[in-house]
Amino acid sequence: MDFHLMQFTTYVMNADKLKNDAASKATFEQKALDGYLTAFEQNAKARESSRDTKSITISGKDASVTTVQCKMRGENEVIKVVFLPLPEEYWFVAFAYPKEHEDDQGKLADKIISSIQLRQ
C-alpha cells in the first residue's frame, strides 16, 4: 500500500531581512505554512474540510504537524504536513493517503514523522 503523495520541500530564507522579535517571527512562519498548504491544496485540487495543528519537537527544534481532512479527486483524503522552521530555511514534509487507510498509512506516516532527525 502506497501513499498517494510524499513530498519534501525546503525554502531558503534570507534571515537578514526577517524581523527578530518573536511575534513577527511567529506571524511570518504561520504565513509560510498557510501559503504552503494553500499551494499544495490548489495543485492537488483538494477541498479542505478541516485542519488541525499540533506542536512537536524534532532534534530539539520546535516544529508542527498539520493534519488536513479533504476531498481530492472525489475521495476522502488526509494530508499530513510537517513544518520545521530552521534559522536559514523552512522544511515541509507532506504525506497524503486515503482517509480509509488511517489505521495503516496514517500510523506509518506518524512513525516516519517521529523518526525525522536533523544531522549537523
Side-chain angles (χ1 to χ4, degrees):
M1 195 150 313
D2 296 325
F3 290 108
H4 284 171
L5 177 131
M6 288 184 64
Q7 181 182 55
F8 174 73
T9 305
T10 62
Y11 291 101
V12 177
M13 308 304 295
N14 184 348
D16 295 336
K17 301 229 177 190
L18 298 176
K19 293 181 182 177
N20 287 329
D21 66 281
S24 294
K25 183 180 176 199
T27 299
F28 187 80
E29 289 174 0
Q30 186 61 51
K31 286 181 180 180
L33 176 59
D34 289 343
Y36 175 85
L37 288 168
T38 298
F40 185 97
E41 291 171 10
Q42 286 175 347
N43 289 325
K45 295 182 174 98
R47 272 192 354 258
E48 183 177 319
S49 58
S50 70
R51 182 187 295 190
D52 178 54
T53 300
K54 70 176 185 174
S55 297
I56 62 170
T57 303
I58 297 175
S59 298
K61 307 282 186 193
D62 291 334
S64 65
V65 177
T66 300
T67 303
V68 176
Q69 306 289 330
C70 63
K71 286 266 192 197
M72 231 170 23
R73 298 182 188 107
E75 301 290 326
N76 291 322
E77 294 278 323
V78 177
I79 302 169
K80 289 190 179 190
V81 177
V82 177
F83 174 53
L84 176 60
L86 298 171
E88 295 182 4
E89 64 186 12
Y90 289 170
W91 287 15
F92 297 91
V93 182
F95 303 87
Y97 54 88
K99 173 73 174 150
E100 64 195 42
H101 291 289
E102 188 72 51
D103 288 342
D104 50 9
Q105 290 176 321
K107 288 183 179 170
L108 178 58
D110 290 340
K111 186 175 182 178
I112 293 168
I113 291 166
S114 69
S115 71
I116 296 172
Q117 295 182 14
L118 295 174
R119 304 250 187 227
Q120 297 185 3

